[in-house]
Amino acid sequence: MNFSTSLLLILAFVAANLPFLSRRIFFVVRPRSGSKAFSWQLLELVVLFFVIGGIALLLEGKLGDVHKQNWEFYAINAALFVVFAYPGFVYRYLWRRRGA
């Protein structure tokens, strides 16, 4: 793997977990109820998926010609992004904390 691929995978992993680790909506606005709703986290996940996709497109364009992809490519990437988000989801919703 070259540097661009490694960088992209690390960025995707971090970006996929950010919605579950941050308590602010889009990392700026503090929710009135004190905790962020799951729907906001899903929206952030979708937005970050497209941001990482744009970064990937820029990196691919920097290395050479950008290849045209079909819907299967994007479906697999979306599934991989959701799998990358699993540790953040577990930490936020499934991890049992002592004394809680």
Side-chain angles (χ1 to χ4, degrees):
M1 278 197 313
N2 59 15
F3 176 73
S4 297
T5 306
S6 301
L7 176 68
L8 187 63
L9 287 173
I10 291 168
L11 280 175
F13 184 79
V14 170
N17 287 292
L18 280 177
F20 299 105
L21 299 178
S22 172
R23 299 213 182 261
R24 295 177 179 257
I25 298 171
F26 287 103
F27 319 110
V28 178
V29 179
R30 182 176 298 273
R32 291 183 194 140
S33 65
S35 64
K36 185 168 43 171
F38 186 69
S39 58
W40 280 112
Q41 292 170 346
L42 285 179
L43 180 63
E44 288 175 351
L45 195 66
V46 169
V47 168
L48 286 171
F49 172 72
F50 285 110
V51 167
I52 295 297
I55 292 171
L57 192 65
L58 288 173
L59 286 174
E60 185 179 7
K62 186 176 164 184
L63 294 174
D65 292 336
V66 176
H67 298 284
K68 184 177 189 257
Q69 304 293 343
N70 294 328
W71 69 270
E72 295 93 348
F73 175 80
Y74 298 106
I76 290 170
N77 278 326
L80 182 64
F81 201 71
V82 170
V83 169
F84 278 173
Y86 187 69
F89 177 82
V90 167
Y91 176 76
R92 175 74 179 224
Y93 291 106
L94 302 178
W95 196 283
R96 300 276 182 197
R97 291 181 184 86
R98 293 179 190 226

